[in-house]
């Protein structure tokens, strides 16, 4: 079997889909995208696919190494996202060719389903109590929210109190045992992160996420020594080598690699297995489309330390199109009692509605995240 061609589809709300075709009629789908840089990743995919045309798609490990190691300059969000989507599509082809789901090729399932959480509150959290109650009423056992608006390096306790009011409203609305993930989103610098982490303890969050930017991960030591709340990070880390120091330093409790950013299925299986050796849990990042989610679930199925999965249904970014719109059979992601079953059909376990993909690719998108500024007009972290 040989790879013969490929196509890329930039589709709303902010996604990029890849279709790889073979001379035996087996096709695979991937989702190579970094949010806000879809066109840039698209160019990187074009460059990498020049090598793969005419190659055997089943030799995934070798292709991954060539895509990664053949460039003198490597890593980072653009190149690793391009590799991620190609890798997903190759695994989809291999599973379909052999007639088994990808998780069977990774050793088989360690679980039948995995807990999922729902986003609430938008970029600037508001009305979170009512929003949390609504998704819990739908059966979700966990939610996640952006914790704060923008914060200066040292900011006011008024903003701290606003965060506490929001989380308090959620606890009051949903009770003491629903999981609450509080995403600092890298908006918080170390001086305020220490305060927030300590002040949030009475609400018993499931985790705090990206309490500082990943380039400041050395600050996690001080934050971890200030709080008992589990610390999660990793969505802006792109390879096993990026995660190596995070794990050996020992101040993270939950890693959150993104299967469309951190090297796809091949690399993330290794990252999650590395974390297991450090007794660290995994909650893969996935505010993206159905191909990315299907890829996550195939890896989650095989990793004992995966405990919850992000998914984008109803997320505030999904304007105009949502998670299920591009699937022939949306029931594959039917959430029951806060869990989703691991897809068992061959490949990634989903069937893409190609006609709808082509239609929406004509609409396209040029999604960019907002640029925020503080009152003094200096640029704020979004």
């Amino acid at each position: 079997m040989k790879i013969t061609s490929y196509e890329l589809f930039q589709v709303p709300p902010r996604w990029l889909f890849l279709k790889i075709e073979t001379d035996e009629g087996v096709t695979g789908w991937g989702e190579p995208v970094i949010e806000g840089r879809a066109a840039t990743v698209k160019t990187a995919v074009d460059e990498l696919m020049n090598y793969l045309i005419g190659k055997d798609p089943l030799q995934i490990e070798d292709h991954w190494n060539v895509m990664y190691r053949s460039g003198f300059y490597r890593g980072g969000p653009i190149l690793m996202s391009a590799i991620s989507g190609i890798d997903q599509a190759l695994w989809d082809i291999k599973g379909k060719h052999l007639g088994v789901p990808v998780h069977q090729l990774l050793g088989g399932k360690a679980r039948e389903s995995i807990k999922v959480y729902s986003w609430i509150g938008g970029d600037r959290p508001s009305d979170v109590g009512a929003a949390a109650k609504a998704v819990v009423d739908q059966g979700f056992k966990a939610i996640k929210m952006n914790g704060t608006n923008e914060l200066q390096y040292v900011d006011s306790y008024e903003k701290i109190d606003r965060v506490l009011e929001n989380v308090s409203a959620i606890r009051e609305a949903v009770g003491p045992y629903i999981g609450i993930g509080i995403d600092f989103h890298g908006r918080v610098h170390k001086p305020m992160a220490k305060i927030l982490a300590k002040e949030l303890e009475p609400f018993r969050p499931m985790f705090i996420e990206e309490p500082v930017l990943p380039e400041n991960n050395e600050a996690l030591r001080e934050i971890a020594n200030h709080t008992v709340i589990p610390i999660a990070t990793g969505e802006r880390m792109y390879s096993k080598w990026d995660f190596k120091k995070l794990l050996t330093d020992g101040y993270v409790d939950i890693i959150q690699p993104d299967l469309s950013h951190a090297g796809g299925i091949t690399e993330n299986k290794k990252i999650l297995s590395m974390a297991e050796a450090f007794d660290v849990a995994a909650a893969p990042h996935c505010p993206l489309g159905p191909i990315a989610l299907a890829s996550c679930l195939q890896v989650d199925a095989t990793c004992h330390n995966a405990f919850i999965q992000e998914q984008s249904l109803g997320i505030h970014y999904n304007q105009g199109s949502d998670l299920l719109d591009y699937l022939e059979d949306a029931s594959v992601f039917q959430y029951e009692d806060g869990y989703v079953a691991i897809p068992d059909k061959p490949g990634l376990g989903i069937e893409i509605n190609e006609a709808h993909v082509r239609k929406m690719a004509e609409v396209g998108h040029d999604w960019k995240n907002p640029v925020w500024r503080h009152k003094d007009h200096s640029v704020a972290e979004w």
Side-chain angles (χ1 to χ4, degrees), residues 219-248:
L220 295 180
R221 175 179 181 176
E222 196 167 347
I223 296 166
N225 287 332
H226 264 74
T227 185
V228 298
I229 301 172
I231 293 173
T233 194
E235 70 186 63
R236 287 186 274 188
M237 300 171 69
Y238 309 110
S239 71
K240 65 177 80 71
W241 296 281
D242 286 354
F243 280 91
K244 178 170 61 172
K245 189 174 190 306
L246 179 71
L247 292 169
T248 55

Side-chain angles (χ1 to χ4, degrees), residues 1-4 51-56:
M1 184 162 53
K2 305 295 181 187
I3 296 171
T4 55
Y51 162 76
L52 286 171
I53 297 297
K55 301 293 193 303
D56 178 358

Side-chain angles (χ1 to χ4, degrees), residues 9-319:
F9 306 94
Q10 201 162 323
V11 296
R14 56 178 190 162
W15 304 332
L16 181 67
F17 292 169
L18 166 67
K19 178 187 179 186
I20 295 180
E21 298 190 77
T22 68
D23 59 358
E24 294 189 10
V26 183
T27 62
W29 289 86
E31 196 167 330
V33 68
I34 199 82
E35 298 93 301
R37 294 288 184 266
T40 312
V41 177
K42 187 175 181 181
T43 298
V45 173
D46 285 330
E47 292 177 338
L48 292 171
M49 286 302 301
N50 284 334
Y51 162 76
L52 286 171
I53 297 297
K55 301 293 193 303
D56 178 358
L58 305 184
Q59 304 305 311
I60 298 173
E61 190 73 30
D62 184 62
H63 295 327
W64 197 99
N65 277 286
V66 170
M67 289 188 290
Y68 181 84
R69 297 178 189 277
S70 66
F72 185 77
Y73 299 100
R74 56 189 69 167
I78 303 302
L79 291 174
M80 295 305 288
S81 295
I83 290 173
S84 296
I86 294 170
D87 181 82
Q88 292 167 4
L90 295 180
W91 279 104
D92 195 28
I93 289 170
K94 188 162 191 170
K96 290 173 179 174
H97 175 69
L98 297 173
V100 296
V102 168
H103 61 73
Q104 286 288 0
L105 303 175
L106 299 176
K109 289 187 291 187
R111 58 175 48 82
E112 296 296 326
S113 62
I114 190 166
K115 186 186 291 187
V116 290
Y117 63 78
S118 179
W119 264 92
I120 63 165
D123 265 351
R124 296 181 180 275
S126 61
D127 299 324
V128 289
K133 180 67 163 58
V135 298
V136 169
D137 286 347
Q138 295 170 28
F140 287 97
K141 306 300 183 187
I143 60 96
K144 190 169 84 172
M145 59 176 286
N146 279 312
T148 74
N149 295 341
E150 60 269 45
L151 284 178
Q152 286 276 21
Y153 284 81
V154 177
D155 215 315
S156 72
Y157 276 88
E158 179 184 1
K159 292 184 179 179
I160 298 292
D161 287 345
R162 198 173 304 149
V163 177
L164 302 180
E165 288 166 8
N166 281 331
V167 179
S168 177
I170 293 172
R171 268 287 167 249
E172 185 175 341
V174 304
Y177 303 124
I178 295 296
I180 305 174
I182 304 172
D183 191 353
F184 287 23
H185 216 249
R187 296 172 183 174
V188 186
H189 300 275
K190 183 174 73 167
M192 303 305 290
K194 291 189 296 181
I195 296 169
L196 266 174
K198 193 68 175 176
E199 295 281 352
L200 285 166
E201 282 186 353
F203 302 104
R204 300 194 294 182
M206 179 171 58
F207 56 75
I208 54 174
E209 178 174 335
E210 271 197 337
V212 291
L213 291 164
E215 50 264 44
N216 298 326
N217 273 345
E218 70 280 353
L220 295 180
R221 175 179 181 176
E222 196 167 347
I223 296 166
N225 287 332
H226 264 74
T227 185
V228 298
I229 301 172
I231 293 173
T233 194
E235 70 186 63
R236 287 186 274 188
M237 300 171 69
Y238 309 110
S239 71
K240 65 177 80 71
W241 296 281
D242 286 354
F243 280 91
K244 178 170 61 172
K245 189 174 190 306
L246 179 71
L247 292 169
T248 55
D249 282 352
Y251 299 108
V252 67
D253 302 294
I254 303 159
I255 58 162
Q256 300 172 301
D258 189 307
L259 270 80
S260 281
H261 304 339
I265 290 169
T266 298
E267 185 74 344
N268 278 268
K269 170 65 173 174
K270 297 173 183 178
I271 292 169
L272 267 64
S273 295
M274 283 173 58
E276 184 184 355
F278 291 87
D279 206 23
V280 168
H285 182 253
C286 190
L288 294 169
I291 305 168
L293 178 57
S295 299
C296 287
L297 295 176
Q298 295 297 328
V299 172
D300 291 336
T302 71
C303 293
H304 189 265
N305 55 332
F307 81 101
I308 200 166
Q309 177 60 57
E310 182 173 24
Q311 53 82 41
S312 76
L313 186 62
I315 199 171
H316 49 288
Y317 305 120
N318 289 0
Q319 301 296 318

